[in-house]
Amino acid sequence: MACKQANEEKKQLLEVPKLLDFSNLKKGSSGIKVLKEQALMPNEEGVIAMVKVQFPNYKNGVYYRPYTNNLAAGNRMEPVWFNGHKELASYAHKAPREGDNLSLGNLVLLQLPDNSYAAFLPIVSEFIGNTFSVKEDAIYLEVATYDTKTERTEAPLLAWASSHSPYEAMRGAWEKAMANQKVKGNVQWREDKKFPQPYTYLGWCSWEHFRKNINEQIIIDAISDIKESSIPIRWVLIDDGYLDLENGKMMSFGVNKEKFPNGWKNITSLKDEKIKWMGLWRNMQGTQRGVSADHTMANLKQHITEVKYKGGSQYMPKISRESSVAFYEEMTGDTKNNGFDMIKVDFQSVNVHFNKGSENAIRGVHFNNRALEEKCVEKDLALLNCIAMQNFNVFNQTHSSLIRGSVDYKTKVDRNKITTIQNFANAFWLGHIHWVDQDMFHTSFDITARMMAISRAISGGPVYLSDETANINDEFIKPIIYEDGKLLGTLAPGVPLPESLMHDPIFSNEPYRIVAPLENQTAAILVLNFNSGTITANISKEDYPNAAGMLQPYKGLWEQPEEGLVLYNNKTGKAKELNGPEKLSLASMQEQLYQLSPIKNGWSVIGRPDKFMSAQAVKMVSNDEKTLTINMKEQGPLLIWCKEGAPKSEGLNFVNQGGELWLADMSIKPIERQILVKKS
């Protein structure tokens, strides 16, 4: 990795600095700024210091910010593109984007004059939280606890790394942050986490269709419809609308008895071989207004306390590990004991606000997130983090591997632009430690159904629907899944190609291009047009190495195949050798999906043409100049590119599709059936 090969830097700062100076950043360098152990005294707002950051000269940059600093800030993390600091400081809201907040920033990514990249990541430890804030004269690092207690501690402030690859730069910054003793164990690489089994299959969620208008019969009817459908939906997530509340505050983790008179037993008892798993939505604080002072949870009486902040009050766990463990034991215990296998925990980024007015809000978030994670592991609950992208939470998501990447999906074209951009842009920095959940979507919203389906396919994350069950259209679902509902997935999260990281895809008149790695060292590339008019774009061999940027374990970007690449157009079904840039034209809100497959010994495995991630369905075992051995994971058509003559295989008939592309339409029943193909 480039940033490992050059000088690295770790500075123990003897006192809180007024300036962090990166103006002379060395190419390929990485490091971390750490405050030596000392007494850190917050002001009345809980802020210890505002430290000016002097960045190196750059061509352009991206500032990751929550577009609002209200309670839901962490689920609105999105990039703001800028060519200079003054442009960033004067940023104003422009539809369809939302808000103009520039505080609580999570990340700065710069493209430097030599076209290398530098990533700057504010660090959150148990006691101290760091975020960026933009002022008229500079970007500042806000060092804070958001309460008034003086803390004596060492405090990591900021990690950075530079590299010729933006993915390596981001990885290098994470690597430096994770190695610090105050962070170690709180954050782990994606490869060290488990992708929960239920989410490897197609699912359904109640939220976008029913919202809070659910009851026992509505959910039972929806499950009945799913069971009768031929669509292999394998899990159901019941979202908000069932809570046991009084005046909007939570009385217990149980249910509203009027809406769910039999609790959950009549619903979770419906699990079978088709709907194998069920999940339940939870709020990190219990509900939007927290816990009622009159709550009925006897086990929590000694652990819930009143926190007063700026004239208001709420009830939350005390700032202690013991109280956090008790609270999330109650939440996860009720979930598991009622027959649920999955848990979606929402509004995690609000937790810092609910802890303000105590001693140290950052420490409260630390205890709460860690307790939630540990209890989910203990009870084997598949955790999906939602509204959880704020650094205060992300730096405490130890075991969970799934996180929402955007605001909620809606059946609106502009919202679909925003969610897609946010999801892939956030996968760039979150994808090193998580798979990104792009949220549920409607197959019945024809305008963007195909785009939403392909976006989720190339993301590598969960795929789930929220149509009214009678209206689900599987036209664009079948290309994502196998017959049993299992997702094809990808080998790493789909992320923007380097140039798409650095420009605004809504207002730049440029395409938004996404890349992900598939089997057989294949690159999937999705080209999207979110501009108002028609644009031009291209695919070239220079795009190919970037497909490896998010692979773990990371072994560097892919090298160009000696024999070249085959370009496959998923929509037209055509393939050809890629000798020069492939140009294309896209109308507004249109997409095109391609695949770059390496040629080896005159062979190239395209995969299944009926799937969006074609190569993911076929694994090459071996090949030489005369033979090719592959594994097909399921029955279906097979595309192979063969440079010399027609391929042949026992029992298969290969039909030429033009040029060197050959199709065999087979019926293979056994899973992992091995096929030997020979050249004529």
Side-chain angles (χ1 to χ4, degrees):
M1 189 172 161
C3 54
K4 276 189 173 182
Q5 295 169 359
N7 293 329
E8 298 187 0
E9 182 180 359
K10 178 179 179 181
K11 285 194 174 179
Q12 286 278 346
L13 303 170
L14 299 180
E15 59 183 23
V16 181
K18 293 183 179 179
L19 176 70
L20 294 176
D21 190 355
F22 296 98
S23 56
N24 294 315
L25 187 73
K26 295 179 181 178
K27 186 175 182 178
S29 67
S30 64
I32 183 171
K33 301 288 188 182
V34 180
L35 282 178
K36 185 177 180 181
E37 183 175 333
Q38 59 192 276
L40 299 172
M41 182 182 297
N43 63 18
E44 61 182 12
E45 297 296 323
V47 176
I48 296 165
M50 295 292 286
V51 182
K52 187 175 182 178
V53 183
Q54 181 64 53
F55 291 105
N57 290 333
Y58 57 88
K59 291 173 61 176
N60 48 22
V62 192
Y63 179 86
Y64 280 73
R65 56 102 195 210
Y67 66 65
T68 173
N69 63 2
N70 68 13
L71 295 186
N75 211 35
R76 275 83 176 145
M77 198 61 62
E78 68 174 5
V80 173
W81 292 271
F82 60 94
N83 293 316
H85 173 70
K86 290 183 178 179
E87 180 184 0
L88 177 62
S90 62
Y91 176 80
H93 167 239
K94 185 177 181 181
R97 300 178 70 180
E98 301 186 45
D100 56 7
N101 173 62
L102 292 174
S103 63
L104 299 174
N106 277 20
L107 173 72
V108 169
L109 176 68
L110 301 177
Q111 186 174 26
L112 305 180
D114 65 355
N115 288 322
S116 64
Y117 299 84
F120 299 85
L121 178 68
I123 297 172
V124 178
S125 55
E126 178 179 343
F127 294 95
I128 308 297
N130 296 288
T131 57
F132 286 128
S133 185
V134 179
K135 308 296 181 184
E136 290 184 4
D137 62 331
I139 296 175
Y140 286 78
L141 186 73
E142 183 172 294
V143 185
T145 65
Y146 301 107
D147 270 308
T148 55
K149 181 185 177 184
T150 297
E151 298 287 0
R152 185 169 188 85
T153 182
E154 178 184 286
L157 300 178
L158 181 68
W160 83 92
S162 65
S163 171
H164 68 285
S165 160
Y167 318 113
E168 287 186 357
M170 190 66 247
R171 180 180 173 85
W174 273 119
E175 191 170 47
K176 285 299 174 185
M178 290 183 194
N180 182 267
Q181 290 301 314
K182 294 295 182 180
V183 176
K184 189 173 290 186
N186 294 344
V187 188
Q188 296 191 78
W189 298 111
R190 189 185 72 248
E191 67 179 309
D192 296 324
K193 299 178 178 183
K194 180 182 177 183
F195 194 115
Q197 186 184 14
Y199 290 105
T200 64
Y201 289 84
L202 181 66
W204 179 86
C205 178
S206 65
W207 179 248
E208 278 304 326
H209 178 69
F210 291 111
R211 312 290 288 183
K212 292 185 179 182
N213 301 314
I214 60 172
N215 58 36
E216 179 178 297
Q217 194 58 52
I218 286 172
I219 296 299
I220 288 175
D221 289 346
I223 291 171
S224 177
D225 288 345
I226 289 171
K227 287 187 175 186
E228 292 175 5
S229 169
S230 61
I231 301 171
I233 292 171
R234 305 301 306 280
W235 56 266
V236 166
L237 176 64
I238 301 167
D239 215 287
D240 196 4
Y242 66 85
L243 290 168
D244 177 19
L245 305 177
E246 184 177 272
N247 297 322
K249 296 192 174 185
M250 192 182 76
M251 297 297 291
S252 75
F253 285 107
V255 298
N256 179 320
K257 290 296 185 182
E258 292 184 5
K259 300 177 76 174
F260 293 85
N262 299 297
W264 293 118
K265 64 179 182 179
N266 288 350
I267 292 173
T268 55
S269 65
L270 296 174
K271 287 190 293 184
D272 58 14
E273 283 306 305
K274 180 167 186 179
I275 300 181
K276 190 172 182 179
W277 303 279
M278 288 190 186
L280 189 62
W281 176 92
R282 295 292 192 184
N283 187 300
M284 189 75 175
Q285 290 67 237
T287 187
Q288 296 291 70
R289 297 182 61 194
V291 179
S292 170
D294 302 318
H295 70 85
T296 60
M297 298 175 287
N299 293 338
L300 296 183
K301 290 295 183 184
Q302 64 178 324
H303 296 292
I304 300 294
T305 188
E306 182 180 16
V307 178
K308 294 185 176 180
Y309 183 70
K310 290 189 174 181
S313 68
Q314 54 261 341
Y315 287 82
M316 277 294 290
K318 296 175 182 177
I319 307 265
S320 74
R321 173 170 170 77
E322 180 185 12
S323 293
S324 293
V325 167
F327 187 79
Y328 293 101
E329 167 66 32
E330 193 82 8
M331 175 190 286
T332 58
D334 183 90
T335 307
K336 187 69 174 182
N337 293 339
N338 278 293
F340 291 100
D341 315 282
M342 310 155 70
I343 185 170
K344 172 185 173 182
V345 180
D346 211 345
F347 292 97
Q348 293 186 30
S349 293
V350 183
N351 200 246
V352 68
H353 298 276
F354 272 74
N355 282 291
K356 289 178 179 178
S358 54
E359 294 182 343
N360 182 327
I362 296 299
R363 199 166 194 221
V365 176
H366 170 79
F367 283 140
N368 290 337
N369 266 113
R370 289 300 301 269
L372 170 65
E373 295 261 321
E374 290 164 9
K375 288 300 173 182
C376 286
V377 170
E378 179 185 294
K379 292 177 171 55
D380 194 24
L381 281 171
L383 173 59
L384 171 60
N385 297 295
C386 191
I387 307 191
M389 284 187 281
Q390 186 51 259
N391 278 10
F392 309 141
N393 305 98
V394 168
F395 271 86
N396 290 294
Q397 291 160 352
T398 313
H399 305 290
S400 58
S401 63
L402 300 177
I403 190 168
R404 263 283 292 285
S406 74
V407 292
D408 288 3
Y409 164 88
K410 303 291 180 188
T411 51
K412 298 178 181 178
V413 171
D414 279 350
R415 175 57 76 93
N416 285 185
K417 292 182 184 179
I418 293 299
T419 57
T420 304
I421 293 166
Q422 288 179 358
N423 278 313
F424 288 119
N426 284 317
F428 164 72
W429 69 283
L430 287 172
H432 295 275
I433 57 174
H434 286 295
W435 290 92
V436 173
D437 165 42
Q438 294 203 352
D439 200 16
M440 63 202 85
F441 76 105
H442 282 78
T443 62
S444 51
F445 185 51
D446 296 339
I447 301 173
T448 62
R450 175 182 162 88
M451 180 183 288
M452 295 298 96
I454 297 176
S455 294
R456 281 150 184 78
I458 200 172
S459 78
V463 180
Y464 52 114
L465 315 176
S466 195
D467 304 85
E468 183 178 11
T469 44
N471 293 334
I472 295 173
N473 179 354
D474 67 354
E475 179 183 359
F476 302 126
I477 295 301
K478 287 181 178 179
I480 299 175
I481 60 175
Y482 294 111
E483 289 180 359
D484 64 353
K486 190 172 179 63
L487 308 176
L488 274 75
T490 61
L491 299 182
V495 292
L497 279 158
E499 87 286 349
S500 287
L501 281 169
M502 306 309 298
H503 67 243
D504 189 329
I506 296 179
F507 303 113
S508 64
N509 213 30
E510 297 287 342
Y512 198 45
R513 301 194 308 144
I514 309 302
V515 67
L518 307 180
E519 291 283 5
N520 317 313
Q521 285 205 328
T522 298
I525 296 178
L526 173 61
V527 186
L528 302 152
N529 179 13
F530 293 131
N531 293 269
S532 57
T534 298
I535 61 168
T536 58
N538 67 68
I539 306 293
S540 72
K541 66 179 183 179
E542 284 73 25
D543 297 324
Y544 176 75
N546 295 293
M550 301 296 289
L551 281 172
Q552 293 182 1
Y554 182 65
K555 298 179 181 179
L557 301 182
W558 285 340
E559 295 182 359
Q560 293 288 346
E562 290 184 6
E563 297 179 47
L565 293 161
V566 172
L567 175 72
Y568 172 66
N569 185 320
N570 181 274
K571 185 175 284 188
T572 66
K574 301 298 182 181
K576 66 177 184 179
E577 282 190 76
L578 184 64
N579 296 315
E582 177 75 4
K583 296 183 179 180
L584 64 141
S585 177
L586 277 181
S588 180
M589 288 305 295
Q590 294 298 304
E591 84 293 317
Q592 186 56 273
L593 178 63
Y594 294 90
Q595 194 171 279
L596 290 176
S597 301
I599 303 170
K600 185 177 180 181
N601 293 317
W603 299 99
S604 190
V605 178
I606 307 301
R608 283 187 59 170
D610 59 334
K611 304 300 180 185
F612 291 138
M613 300 296 107
S614 303
Q616 195 68 1
V618 181
K619 186 174 180 63
M620 183 170 65
V621 178
S622 64
N623 82 2
D624 56 35
E625 292 183 357
K626 293 294 184 182
T627 63
L628 170 70
T629 305
I630 59 174
N631 279 341
M632 287 283 284
K633 297 180 181 179
E634 183 190 78
Q635 64 180 12
L638 170 66
L639 272 179
I640 290 176
W641 189 91
C642 183
K643 196 163 188 175
E644 299 173 6
K648 58 183 180 180
S649 181
E650 185 178 353
L652 298 181
N653 179 36
F654 282 93
V655 178
N656 186 258
Q657 304 297 297
E660 290 85 11
L661 188 64
W662 299 85
L663 173 68
D665 198 353
M666 61 189 67
S667 180
I668 304 169
K669 293 300 181 184
I671 300 298
E672 300 291 343
R673 160 83 181 270
Q674 195 166 94
I675 303 167
L676 178 65
V677 185
K678 299 180 180 180
K679 292 180 182 177
S680 298

